[in-house]
Amino acid sequence: MEQSPIQDTVNQQRIDALRELKAKMKLGGGEARLQSQREKGKMTVWERLEYLFDDNTFVEVGGFVELRNEHFGLGKNKIPGDGVVTGFGRIKGKLVYIAAQDFGVLGGSLGEMHGKKVANIMDLAVQNKAPMITLNDSGGARIQEGIGALCGYGDIFYRNTKASGVIPQISVIMGPCAGGAVYSPGITDFVAMVRGTSNMFITGPDVIKTVTGEEVSKDDLGGPDVHMERSGVAAYIGNDDEETLSWVVKLLSYLPSSNEEHAPVLPVPAQGIRQGQKSLADIVPSNANKAYNMLEVIDCMVDPYSFFELQPNFAANIIIGFARIDGISTGIIANNPKHLAGCLDVNASDKAARFVRFCDAFNIPLLTLVDVPGFLPGVDQEYAGIIRHGAKLLYAYSEATVPKLTVTLRKAYGGAYICMCSKHLGSDMNLAWPGAEIAVMGPKGAANVIFRKQIMAAEDSAAEAEKCQQEYTDKFANPRLAASLGYIDDVVEPDETPTIIRRYLWSLSDKQAPRPKRKHGNIPL
Ligand code: HXC
């Protein structure tokens, strides 16, 4: 029914004035700054919000908040909103809270009131058990506000930490993110960056040149590729704002809104398991030294086209990501023999451990696909702390109480066998393929140690070594011994594995695994 026109002219004038003011407020620092943002290939803050949220669902909170610190003439730059739009709305129907910085207002810099707005919306997100997203586009701490800016950041870090494991937190870096600003994304669960416009560093190129004498460009210091390939900070790089925001929408579809919800379940695709494709027995070569791409295996195990990889270019020797199995959102962790033979190193351990902990915190079951020759040996790895980092993965899997399903496809040697969600770390399902080699080490290394004297004494050492290796392979390098001791629940055919995984997952849907009460554990960091 159409509303009748307002008769009270004073009220009508007030409403008109409010509309005019709100329209002006939406321009932030003004049309020229919005245009400059667009010329850099970036969307404006309101364009980003419109793109991200379902139509007409976004509600702004605190749009009138202004800075109150007038040092260094800041007062003349008072703009309602103080450089950040905060609020909530629906994304594909799901309630989500957001803080989106406006580079057009004082460079999106974070002062006292800007910080308070972000902290307030984070509190609302936690109280209402909904995901929190930040769109970062800022020159960092507002220099003129001194302690006001530092306090703003501190309040946010404190809340990021308290919200960790309670609601999913996603940071999208859509412009500069410098100084203290990087640590909020650093605490959150997922960081996405935009190629060409975003960067992250604790000190910029100028400061580095002054302090260490090193010369480096912004992109080489903290561009998206650096954070994807080297530091491991970024989970995803989009080519522009739209692509990056679309990634966030997709990511949300795999996540529950809080730790009080089950993992999301979506309708199961009509064809269920992918049909008419290459047999898994042909994708994984029988020769344990031959590489293959584990991504092909994952595609056969999960619902068609549902795999959503994270951090693809960091520690590519391990794959992590979400997928759906019978519609159920599931965390996938898999060694990838295509890179570094799929071994575990410092970065792979960190990457997998953090992902396992995220899934466990948010009730997302884990599927681990194992083909691992061991931990990467070497002086560099030892000095880099492979003991400490490898321990994180052991700890993360042991601590996890969500359903844990493991399939050993080929190799599972030594400490890495234990580490990749073995029965000993509390897995609920451990399957092995007939060619799986579960042993302390590979046949060649093992034979050279235990049969060394015998090989040396033989007339034909090479032939003797081969014979010894075969003997070892027959006895140990297969899944039978592990299965006979109950550490493998079943030895199964490759192509029946996806169906068996689905049955186990269904059987574990109400798994309870209470742990003794404690404040928190002490994961090796
Ligand atoms: C106040 C800032 C600002 C800041 C930018 N501006 N950063 N104002 N505090 N930190 C203002 C600029 O003065 C300018 O205002 C407007 O925003 C746009 O900035 P430009 O420099 O013109 O834009 P651009 O050329 O695109 O360069 C963007 C930039 C650069 C690379 C981000 O502005 C920059 O280097 N800013 C400083 C970054 C920094 O060092 N931040 C502090 C980090 S220390 P006008 O009015 O002229 O248009 C930190 C410690 C916190 O964060 C620790 C907490 C734990």
Side-chain angles (χ1 to χ4, degrees), residues 33 40 103 106-107 109 138-144 150 153 157 176 178-181 218:
R33 286 180 195 268
K40 288 179 193 157
F103 192 80
L106 290 160
S109 58
S138 160
R142 189 172 299 152
I143 298 161
Q144 301 93 320
L150 299 181
Y153 274 124
F157 304 157
K218 269 198 241 173

Side-chain angles (χ1 to χ4, degrees), residues 517-521:
K517 195 167 181 286
R518 64 177 169 183
K519 188 170 178 190
H520 57 71

Side-chain angles (χ1 to χ4, degrees), residues 35-332:
Q35 196 45 36
S36 140
Q37 180 89 343
R38 291 191 190 103
E39 278 160 15
K40 288 179 193 157
K42 293 153 81 175
M43 292 165 119
T44 67
V45 67
W46 280 98
E47 285 165 358
R48 288 169 178 167
L49 294 169
E50 265 162 41
Y51 189 86
L52 193 55
F53 284 92
D54 298 349
D55 288 349
N56 300 318
T57 65
F58 182 70
V59 177
E60 187 179 8
V61 176
F64 285 87
V65 172
E66 291 177 337
L67 63 83
R68 62 173 182 170
N69 186 329
E70 311 242 327
H71 299 312
F72 303 105
L74 258 188
K76 68 177 188 319
N77 293 316
K78 244 183 205 180
I79 291 178
D82 203 28
V84 63
V85 181
T86 55
F88 61 89
R90 295 196 176 275
I91 296 179
K92 300 266 184 228
K94 196 183 258 189
L95 175 65
V96 174
Y97 286 77
I98 197 159
Q101 291 178 313
D102 183 352
F103 192 80
V105 177
L106 290 160
S109 58
L110 187 142
E112 178 199 8
M113 299 310 285
H114 178 131
K116 277 195 194 310
K117 281 181 71 177
V118 179
N120 175 55
I121 212 74
M122 292 173 80
D123 288 343
L124 290 172
V126 172
Q127 285 159 10
N128 295 292
K129 301 278 186 292
M132 175 73 210
I133 296 176
T134 53
L135 306 186
N136 299 57
D137 191 354
S138 160
R142 189 172 299 152
I143 298 161
Q144 301 93 320
E145 291 207 44
I147 181 65
L150 299 181
C151 136
Y153 274 124
D155 288 349
I156 294 169
F157 304 157
Y158 181 63
R159 282 166 175 78
N160 282 136
T161 307
K162 284 202 302 175
S164 181
V166 179
I167 54 167
Q169 300 181 83
I170 302 167
S171 304
V172 193
I173 316 300
M174 311 189 82
C177 183
V182 299
Y183 282 114
S184 172
I187 300 172
T188 61
D189 301 305
F190 304 100
V191 175
M193 295 183 76
V194 185
R195 197 179 297 287
T197 51
S198 72
N199 46 60
M200 296 176 82
F201 32 71
I202 58 161
T203 49
D206 293 347
V207 176
I208 290 182
K209 192 171 176 204
T210 313
V211 178
T212 70
E214 293 165 291
E215 289 194 35
V216 63
S217 71
K218 269 198 241 173
D219 228 33
D220 286 345
L221 179 64
D225 290 313
V226 168
H227 288 304
M228 171 66 82
E229 288 163 29
R230 289 168 177 264
S231 73
V233 167
Y236 172 79
I237 305 172
N239 285 315
D240 52 30
D241 283 11
E242 284 95 337
E243 197 175 278
T244 314
L245 295 172
S246 299
W247 180 86
V248 173
V249 174
K250 191 160 183 205
L251 171 64
L252 283 168
S253 74
Y254 291 89
L255 313 182
S257 290
S258 78
N259 63 342
E260 290 179 13
E261 286 186 3
H262 285 295
V265 184
L266 259 78
V268 184
Q271 69 259 61
I273 297 164
R274 275 165 86 172
Q275 307 286 331
Q277 57 190 350
K278 208 164 146 188
S279 164
L280 277 161
D282 282 329
I283 294 173
V284 179
S286 54
N287 178 349
N289 297 321
K290 248 182 147 178
Y292 62 95
N293 192 351
M294 183 64 92
L295 285 168
E296 273 190 69
V297 176
I298 295 172
D299 270 348
C300 300
M301 298 283 185
V302 304
D303 294 350
Y305 311 107
S306 73
F307 186 55
F308 183 75
E309 190 177 2
L310 302 165
Q311 294 183 282
N313 300 336
F314 177 68
N317 36 329
I318 203 151
I319 297 169
I320 59 165
F322 298 107
R324 299 188 200 289
I325 296 181
D326 251 357
I328 303 169
S329 186
T330 304
I332 311 288

